[in-house]
Structures are given as structure tokens and as C-alpha cells.
Amino acid sequence: MQSEEMDEALRLAEKAASLGEVRVGAVVVGPDQTIIGRGYNRVLMDHDPSAHAEIMAIREACKSLGSERLIDCDLYVTLEPCPMCAQAISFARIRRLYFAADDTKGGGVENGARVYQQTSCHHKPDVYSGLSATKAADMLRSFFKERR
């Protein structure tokens, strides 16, 4: 299954790769179904361990709406969010999370910490995984193969 939003996240992942960053891209779709936030990994470029694609997209979307809450907004990301990003998604009150490839080592949603299954998690978005998963996983594999 594919979507225009995930296609845009995949394009952003390629942009990250062109800058030497890990190939991850994300978009936030607002209540009116338009993209209000875009992000790609900028950890190395910004010298910022929190500059993950999801965080960058959330920051832009919050500025776009003038709010710290992204109620009725959806996030599309090419890789399962890590625990830090999963918590940020919860704190932003994002309605739905769509992610492509699983992250069995560093994921925080369906793997690893499973943030949304913890009783301490106050907001749990609806989660949909596997959207364009093969394409996203292939992109990541080729990126890491090139770096080795």
C-alpha cells in the first residue's frame, strides 16, 4: 500500500541521504489534509541528537498551527519511531501514526520500548505500520551497505 504522504516522506528520506544522514523522512498532515510539517534526519548536520525526521516535522507543524498540540493531525514516517520520537508524538497528541519499515533494534512503537503500551503514556495515537515498508527498508539497507 502506498500514499502521497508516504511518497513525500520517502523523498525527504532521500534528501537526508544526500546530506550523509540516515535515510529517514517524515511529514505531518493537518486537519485539512494538507502537509503542514516536513522533516528529515539532520542529526549530523545540526550537531543535534534530537534532530530526527519526526521531531523536525513536528516542530514545523506546531509552528504552522501556532500550537504545541497537533490534535487531528497525522504523521507519516519512513521508519518506526525511536522511543524519543514516540514520546514526542504522544506529547504532541498526534491522532494517527503511519510508519513504513520496522526498526527491530531502535524502534519504540512495535519493537523495543513499546512506548504506547506503557501505563505512563498519556496519549496513544492510532498506529498503522507497513505502508511502503519494502521500499523504505530497501532504502535503509542500501544506505548502510554504502557506508560500510
Side-chain angles (χ1 to χ4, degrees):
M1 186 174 184
Q2 227 173 304
S3 75
E4 290 178 31
E5 296 83 5
M6 188 60 77
D7 288 344
E8 177 64 11
L10 289 163
R11 280 190 285 281
L12 291 165
E14 287 297 342
K15 183 171 185 174
S18 74
L19 299 168
E21 300 278 354
V22 176
R23 274 188 176 129
V24 181
V27 298
V28 175
V29 176
D32 65 355
Q33 302 307 303
T34 62
I35 295 175
I36 60 171
R38 289 176 170 81
Y40 53 88
N41 275 10
R42 298 174 54 113
V43 172
L44 301 173
M45 193 165 78
D46 291 358
H47 307 288
D48 179 356
S50 71
H52 290 197
E54 301 94 305
I55 302 294
M56 305 309 288
I58 288 169
R59 287 176 181 163
E60 187 174 287
C62 287
K63 285 181 184 173
S64 175
L65 291 181
S67 174
E68 74 283 3
R69 300 279 191 244
L70 298 175
I71 296 167
D72 296 325
C73 295
D74 302 331
L75 176 72
Y76 292 77
V77 62
T78 59
L79 181 65
E80 177 181 354
C82 71
M84 172 185 70
C85 292
Q87 283 288 33
I89 291 163
S90 176
F91 291 152
R93 303 298 192 262
I94 288 176
R95 174 180 55 184
R96 293 185 199 110
L97 166 64
Y98 298 88
F99 72 85
D102 285 333
D103 187 348
T104 56
K105 289 184 180 178
V109 178
E110 292 182 350
N111 294 285
R114 296 186 172 134
V115 170
Y116 305 135
Q117 293 179 16
Q118 305 305 315
T119 57
S120 59
C121 183
H122 298 294
H123 172 77
K124 300 167 188 180
D126 294 333
V127 176
Y128 303 91
S129 60
L131 191 64
S132 299
T134 302
K135 185 173 184 177
D138 288 347
M139 286 173 55
L140 285 161
R141 265 192 295 280
S142 69
F143 174 79
F144 286 113
K145 186 177 179 182
E146 291 166 9
R147 294 191 80 175
R148 290 187 182 122

Short mmCIF file of all heavy atoms in Angstrom, two decimals, residues 2-17 22-29 35 37-41 53-54 57 74-79 97-101 131-132 135-136 139-140:
data_model
loop_
_atom_site.label_atom_id
_atom_site.label_comp_id
_atom_site.label_asym_id
_atom_site.label_seq_id
_atom_site.Cartn_x
_atom_site.Cartn_y
_atom_site.Cartn_z
N GLN A 2 0.45 2.27 -0.71
CA GLN A 2 1.22 3.49 -0.85
C GLN A 2 0.30 4.69 -0.67
O GLN A 2 -0.90 4.60 -0.85
CB GLN A 2 1.83 3.53 -2.25
CG GLN A 2 3.28 3.90 -2.24
CD GLN A 2 3.88 3.74 -3.63
OE1 GLN A 2 3.81 2.69 -4.22
NE2 GLN A 2 4.45 4.81 -4.12
N SER A 3 0.89 5.83 -0.31
CA SER A 3 0.13 7.07 -0.21
C SER A 3 1.01 8.22 -0.65
O SER A 3 2.23 8.14 -0.61
CB SER A 3 -0.35 7.28 1.23
OG SER A 3 0.72 7.70 2.05
N GLU A 4 0.36 9.31 -1.04
CA GLU A 4 1.11 10.51 -1.44
C GLU A 4 1.94 11.04 -0.28
O GLU A 4 3.06 11.52 -0.47
CB GLU A 4 0.14 11.59 -1.91
CG GLU A 4 -0.53 11.28 -3.22
CD GLU A 4 -1.53 12.35 -3.62
OE1 GLU A 4 -1.33 13.53 -3.27
OE2 GLU A 4 -2.51 12.00 -4.29
N GLU A 5 1.39 10.95 0.92
CA GLU A 5 2.10 11.45 2.10
C GLU A 5 3.36 10.62 2.36
O GLU A 5 4.43 11.19 2.65
CB GLU A 5 1.19 11.43 3.33
CG GLU A 5 -0.01 12.36 3.23
CD GLU A 5 -1.21 11.76 2.47
OE1 GLU A 5 -1.17 10.58 2.08
OE2 GLU A 5 -2.18 12.50 2.26
N MET A 6 3.24 9.30 2.25
CA MET A 6 4.43 8.47 2.45
C MET A 6 5.42 8.67 1.32
O MET A 6 6.63 8.65 1.55
CB MET A 6 4.04 6.99 2.59
CG MET A 6 5.22 6.11 2.99
SD MET A 6 5.99 6.55 4.59
CE MET A 6 4.80 5.86 5.74
N ASP A 7 4.94 8.89 0.11
CA ASP A 7 5.84 9.19 -1.00
C ASP A 7 6.66 10.44 -0.71
O ASP A 7 7.86 10.49 -1.00
CB ASP A 7 5.07 9.36 -2.31
CG ASP A 7 4.53 8.06 -2.88
OD1 ASP A 7 4.99 6.97 -2.43
OD2 ASP A 7 3.64 8.12 -3.74
N GLU A 8 6.03 11.45 -0.14
CA GLU A 8 6.76 12.68 0.22
C GLU A 8 7.77 12.39 1.32
O GLU A 8 8.90 12.89 1.29
CB GLU A 8 5.79 13.77 0.66
CG GLU A 8 6.46 15.06 1.11
CD GLU A 8 7.24 15.80 0.03
OE1 GLU A 8 7.13 15.46 -1.17
OE2 GLU A 8 7.97 16.75 0.39
N ALA A 9 7.40 11.58 2.30
CA ALA A 9 8.34 11.20 3.37
C ALA A 9 9.53 10.45 2.77
O ALA A 9 10.68 10.67 3.18
CB ALA A 9 7.63 10.35 4.43
N LEU A 10 9.29 9.58 1.80
CA LEU A 10 10.38 8.86 1.14
C LEU A 10 11.30 9.82 0.38
O LEU A 10 12.53 9.66 0.38
CB LEU A 10 9.82 7.78 0.21
CG LEU A 10 9.19 6.58 0.92
CD1 LEU A 10 8.30 5.79 -0.04
CD2 LEU A 10 10.25 5.70 1.54
N ARG A 11 10.74 10.85 -0.26
CA ARG A 11 11.55 11.86 -0.94
C ARG A 11 12.43 12.61 0.06
O ARG A 11 13.61 12.88 -0.19
CB ARG A 11 10.67 12.85 -1.71
CG ARG A 11 10.19 12.32 -3.04
CD ARG A 11 9.52 13.41 -3.88
NE ARG A 11 8.19 13.76 -3.41
CZ ARG A 11 7.09 13.06 -3.66
NH1 ARG A 11 7.15 11.96 -4.38
NH2 ARG A 11 5.92 13.44 -3.21
N LEU A 12 11.85 12.92 1.22
CA LEU A 12 12.63 13.60 2.26
C LEU A 12 13.74 12.69 2.80
O LEU A 12 14.83 13.17 3.13
CB LEU A 12 11.70 14.07 3.38
CG LEU A 12 10.76 15.21 2.99
CD1 LEU A 12 9.64 15.35 4.01
CD2 LEU A 12 11.54 16.51 2.85
N ALA A 13 13.47 11.39 2.86
CA ALA A 13 14.50 10.44 3.30
C ALA A 13 15.68 10.46 2.33
O ALA A 13 16.84 10.39 2.75
CB ALA A 13 13.91 9.03 3.42
N GLU A 14 15.40 10.57 1.05
CA GLU A 14 16.47 10.66 0.05
C GLU A 14 17.28 11.95 0.23
O GLU A 14 18.49 11.96 0.05
CB GLU A 14 15.90 10.57 -1.36
CG GLU A 14 15.43 9.19 -1.73
CD GLU A 14 16.54 8.14 -1.74
OE1 GLU A 14 17.74 8.49 -1.80
OE2 GLU A 14 16.20 6.95 -1.68
N LYS A 15 16.59 13.02 0.60
CA LYS A 15 17.29 14.28 0.86
C LYS A 15 18.26 14.11 2.03
O LYS A 15 19.40 14.58 1.98
CB LYS A 15 16.30 15.41 1.13
CG LYS A 15 16.95 16.75 1.33
CD LYS A 15 15.95 17.88 1.39
CE LYS A 15 16.68 19.21 1.48
NZ LYS A 15 15.76 20.33 1.41
N ALA A 16 17.79 13.44 3.07
CA ALA A 16 18.67 13.18 4.22
C ALA A 16 19.90 12.40 3.78
O ALA A 16 21.04 12.74 4.16
CB ALA A 16 17.91 12.40 5.30
N ALA A 17 19.70 11.37 2.96
CA ALA A 17 20.81 10.55 2.49
C ALA A 17 21.80 11.36 1.67
O ALA A 17 23.01 11.17 1.80
CB ALA A 17 20.28 9.38 1.67
N VAL A 22 21.15 9.50 8.01
CA VAL A 22 20.39 8.26 7.87
C VAL A 22 19.10 8.57 7.12
O VAL A 22 18.44 9.58 7.39
CB VAL A 22 20.09 7.64 9.26
CG1 VAL A 22 19.22 6.40 9.12
CG2 VAL A 22 21.39 7.30 9.97
N ARG A 23 18.74 7.71 6.19
CA ARG A 23 17.59 7.92 5.30
C ARG A 23 16.27 7.78 6.03
O ARG A 23 15.62 6.74 5.98
CB ARG A 23 17.60 6.87 4.19
CG ARG A 23 18.42 7.21 3.02
CD ARG A 23 18.20 6.19 1.91
NE ARG A 23 18.94 6.62 0.75
CZ ARG A 23 19.78 5.85 0.08
NH1 ARG A 23 19.97 4.61 0.43
NH2 ARG A 23 20.41 6.34 -0.95
N VAL A 24 15.83 8.84 6.68
CA VAL A 24 14.51 8.86 7.32
C VAL A 24 13.85 10.20 6.99
O VAL A 24 14.48 11.25 7.11
CB VAL A 24 14.59 8.66 8.85
CG1 VAL A 24 13.18 8.67 9.46
CG2 VAL A 24 15.32 7.37 9.19
N GLY A 25 12.59 10.14 6.58
CA GLY A 25 11.81 11.33 6.29
C GLY A 25 10.45 11.23 6.94
O GLY A 25 9.96 10.12 7.20
N ALA A 26 9.84 12.39 7.20
CA ALA A 26 8.54 12.41 7.87
C ALA A 26 7.73 13.63 7.41
O ALA A 26 8.30 14.67 7.09
CB ALA A 26 8.72 12.47 9.38
N VAL A 27 6.41 13.46 7.41
CA VAL A 27 5.51 14.59 7.16
C VAL A 27 4.35 14.54 8.15
O VAL A 27 3.92 13.47 8.56
CB VAL A 27 4.96 14.62 5.71
CG1 VAL A 27 6.07 14.78 4.70
CG2 VAL A 27 4.13 13.40 5.39
N VAL A 28 3.87 15.72 8.51
CA VAL A 28 2.68 15.85 9.33
C VAL A 28 1.58 16.41 8.44
O VAL A 28 1.78 17.40 7.74
CB VAL A 28 2.89 16.79 10.54
CG1 VAL A 28 1.58 17.00 11.31
CG2 VAL A 28 3.97 16.24 11.46
N VAL A 29 0.44 15.75 8.48
CA VAL A 29 -0.73 16.16 7.71
C VAL A 29 -1.73 16.78 8.68
O VAL A 29 -2.07 16.18 9.70
CB VAL A 29 -1.35 14.96 6.96
CG1 VAL A 29 -2.63 15.35 6.26
CG2 VAL A 29 -0.34 14.36 6.00
N ILE A 35 -0.17 18.90 3.93
CA ILE A 35 1.07 18.73 4.69
C ILE A 35 1.44 20.05 5.34
O ILE A 35 1.57 21.08 4.67
CB ILE A 35 2.21 18.23 3.77
CG1 ILE A 35 1.88 16.82 3.26
CG2 ILE A 35 3.54 18.25 4.51
CD1 ILE A 35 2.87 16.26 2.25
N GLY A 37 3.91 20.01 7.97
CA GLY A 37 5.25 19.85 8.53
C GLY A 37 6.02 18.80 7.77
O GLY A 37 5.48 17.74 7.44
N ARG A 38 7.28 19.12 7.47
CA ARG A 38 8.17 18.19 6.78
C ARG A 38 9.45 18.08 7.58
O ARG A 38 9.90 19.09 8.16
CB ARG A 38 8.49 18.68 5.37
CG ARG A 38 7.36 18.61 4.40
CD ARG A 38 7.76 19.21 3.04
NE ARG A 38 6.77 18.95 2.02
CZ ARG A 38 5.65 19.65 1.86
NH1 ARG A 38 5.38 20.64 2.67
NH2 ARG A 38 4.80 19.34 0.89
N GLY A 39 10.05 16.90 7.56
CA GLY A 39 11.32 16.74 8.24
C GLY A 39 12.12 15.58 7.70
O GLY A 39 11.55 14.66 7.10
N TYR A 40 13.40 15.66 7.88
CA TYR A 40 14.31 14.56 7.55
C TYR A 40 15.42 14.61 8.58
O TYR A 40 15.63 15.63 9.25
CB TYR A 40 14.85 14.67 6.11
CG TYR A 40 15.48 16.00 5.79
CD1 TYR A 40 16.83 16.24 6.03
CD2 TYR A 40 14.72 17.03 5.25
CE1 TYR A 40 17.41 17.46 5.74
CE2 TYR A 40 15.28 18.26 4.96
CZ TYR A 40 16.63 18.46 5.20
OH TYR A 40 17.20 19.68 4.92
N ASN A 41 16.12 13.50 8.73
CA ASN A 41 17.18 13.45 9.73
C ASN A 41 18.21 14.54 9.47
O ASN A 41 18.67 14.71 8.34
CB ASN A 41 17.85 12.07 9.71
CG ASN A 41 17.11 11.07 10.56
OD1 ASN A 41 16.00 11.32 11.02
ND2 ASN A 41 17.72 9.92 10.76
N ALA A 53 13.86 13.00 11.95
CA ALA A 53 12.87 13.43 10.97
C ALA A 53 11.53 13.77 11.62
O ALA A 53 10.91 14.79 11.31
CB ALA A 53 12.68 12.34 9.91
N GLU A 54 11.08 12.91 12.53
CA GLU A 54 9.79 13.12 13.19
C GLU A 54 9.77 14.41 13.99
O GLU A 54 8.81 15.19 13.93
CB GLU A 54 9.46 11.96 14.14
CG GLU A 54 9.40 10.61 13.48
CD GLU A 54 10.72 9.85 13.56
OE1 GLU A 54 11.76 10.39 13.12
OE2 GLU A 54 10.73 8.71 14.03
N ALA A 57 9.64 17.44 11.67
CA ALA A 57 8.31 17.61 11.08
C ALA A 57 7.32 18.14 12.12
O ALA A 57 6.49 19.01 11.83
CB ALA A 57 7.82 16.29 10.49
N ASP A 74 -1.95 13.85 11.49
CA ASP A 74 -1.37 12.53 11.28
C ASP A 74 0.10 12.67 10.89
O ASP A 74 0.47 13.64 10.22
CB ASP A 74 -2.12 11.79 10.17
CG ASP A 74 -3.60 11.63 10.47
OD1 ASP A 74 -3.98 11.56 11.66
OD2 ASP A 74 -4.40 11.57 9.51
N LEU A 75 0.90 11.69 11.30
CA LEU A 75 2.33 11.68 10.98
C LEU A 75 2.64 10.47 10.13
O LEU A 75 2.23 9.35 10.46
CB LEU A 75 3.16 11.64 12.27
CG LEU A 75 4.66 11.53 12.08
CD1 LEU A 75 5.24 12.84 11.56
CD2 LEU A 75 5.34 11.17 13.39
N TYR A 76 3.35 10.70 9.04
CA TYR A 76 3.85 9.64 8.16
C TYR A 76 5.36 9.66 8.25
O TYR A 76 5.98 10.71 8.05
CB TYR A 76 3.43 9.90 6.71
CG TYR A 76 1.95 9.78 6.47
CD1 TYR A 76 1.07 10.79 6.85
CD2 TYR A 76 1.43 8.64 5.85
CE1 TYR A 76 -0.28 10.67 6.62
CE2 TYR A 76 0.07 8.52 5.61
CZ TYR A 76 -0.78 9.55 6.01
OH TYR A 76 -2.13 9.42 5.79
N VAL A 77 5.98 8.51 8.53
CA VAL A 77 7.43 8.44 8.67
C VAL A 77 7.93 7.13 8.05
O VAL A 77 7.25 6.11 8.10
CB VAL A 77 7.86 8.61 10.15
CG1 VAL A 77 7.31 7.52 11.03
CG2 VAL A 77 9.36 8.72 10.29
N THR A 78 9.12 7.19 7.48
CA THR A 78 9.64 6.05 6.73
C THR A 78 10.19 4.94 7.61
O THR A 78 10.39 3.83 7.13
CB THR A 78 10.74 6.51 5.75
OG1 THR A 78 11.80 7.13 6.48
CG2 THR A 78 10.17 7.47 4.72
N LEU A 79 10.44 5.20 8.88
CA LEU A 79 10.99 4.20 9.79
C LEU A 79 10.24 4.28 11.12
O LEU A 79 9.87 5.37 11.56
CB LEU A 79 12.48 4.46 10.02
CG LEU A 79 13.23 3.50 10.94
CD1 LEU A 79 13.29 2.09 10.34
CD2 LEU A 79 14.65 4.01 11.19
N LEU A 97 -0.41 7.62 13.56
CA LEU A 97 0.97 7.43 13.14
C LEU A 97 1.01 6.34 12.08
O LEU A 97 0.51 5.23 12.31
CB LEU A 97 1.83 7.00 14.34
CG LEU A 97 3.21 6.43 14.03
CD1 LEU A 97 4.10 7.49 13.36
CD2 LEU A 97 3.86 5.89 15.30
N TYR A 98 1.57 6.68 10.93
CA TYR A 98 1.79 5.72 9.86
C TYR A 98 3.30 5.59 9.68
O TYR A 98 3.97 6.59 9.47
CB TYR A 98 1.20 6.23 8.54
CG TYR A 98 -0.29 6.44 8.56
CD1 TYR A 98 -0.84 7.65 8.96
CD2 TYR A 98 -1.15 5.42 8.13
CE1 TYR A 98 -2.21 7.85 8.97
CE2 TYR A 98 -2.52 5.61 8.13
CZ TYR A 98 -3.04 6.83 8.55
OH TYR A 98 -4.41 7.02 8.54
N PHE A 99 3.83 4.38 9.79
CA PHE A 99 5.25 4.22 9.51
C PHE A 99 5.49 3.06 8.56
O PHE A 99 4.70 2.13 8.49
CB PHE A 99 6.09 4.12 10.79
CG PHE A 99 5.96 2.85 11.58
CD1 PHE A 99 6.73 1.73 11.28
CD2 PHE A 99 5.11 2.80 12.68
CE1 PHE A 99 6.63 0.57 12.03
CE2 PHE A 99 5.01 1.65 13.44
CZ PHE A 99 5.77 0.53 13.11
N ALA A 100 6.60 3.16 7.84
CA ALA A 100 6.91 2.19 6.80
C ALA A 100 7.67 1.00 7.37
O ALA A 100 7.06 -0.01 7.70
CB ALA A 100 7.70 2.87 5.68
N ALA A 101 8.97 1.12 7.51
CA ALA A 101 9.81 -0.01 7.92
C ALA A 101 9.87 -0.16 9.44
O ALA A 101 9.90 0.83 10.17
CB ALA A 101 11.22 0.19 7.37
N LEU A 131 3.23 0.66 5.66
CA LEU A 131 2.92 1.47 4.47
C LEU A 131 4.22 1.73 3.71
O LEU A 131 5.13 2.36 4.25
CB LEU A 131 2.27 2.78 4.92
CG LEU A 131 1.64 3.67 3.89
CD1 LEU A 131 0.45 2.97 3.23
CD2 LEU A 131 1.17 4.97 4.53
N SER A 132 4.37 1.21 2.50
CA SER A 132 5.60 1.33 1.70
C SER A 132 6.81 0.74 2.42
O SER A 132 7.94 1.19 2.26
CB SER A 132 5.88 2.79 1.32
OG SER A 132 4.83 3.31 0.55
N LYS A 135 9.92 -0.64 0.22
CA LYS A 135 10.71 0.45 -0.37
C LYS A 135 11.57 1.14 0.69
O LYS A 135 12.76 1.39 0.49
CB LYS A 135 9.80 1.45 -1.07
CG LYS A 135 10.55 2.53 -1.80
CD LYS A 135 9.62 3.39 -2.62
CE LYS A 135 10.41 4.41 -3.43
NZ LYS A 135 9.57 5.21 -4.29
N ALA A 136 10.97 1.46 1.83
CA ALA A 136 11.70 2.14 2.89
C ALA A 136 12.82 1.26 3.45
O ALA A 136 13.94 1.73 3.68
CB ALA A 136 10.74 2.54 4.02
N MET A 139 15.69 1.13 1.01
CA MET A 139 16.45 2.38 1.04
C MET A 139 17.42 2.39 2.22
O MET A 139 18.58 2.78 2.08
CB MET A 139 15.49 3.58 1.16
CG MET A 139 14.75 3.92 -0.09
SD MET A 139 13.49 5.21 0.15
CE MET A 139 14.43 6.54 0.85
N LEU A 140 16.95 1.97 3.36
CA LEU A 140 17.81 1.96 4.55
C LEU A 140 18.93 0.94 4.42
O LEU A 140 20.09 1.23 4.75
CB LEU A 140 16.98 1.69 5.80
CG LEU A 140 16.14 2.87 6.28
CD1 LEU A 140 15.03 2.41 7.19
CD2 LEU A 140 17.02 3.90 6.96
#
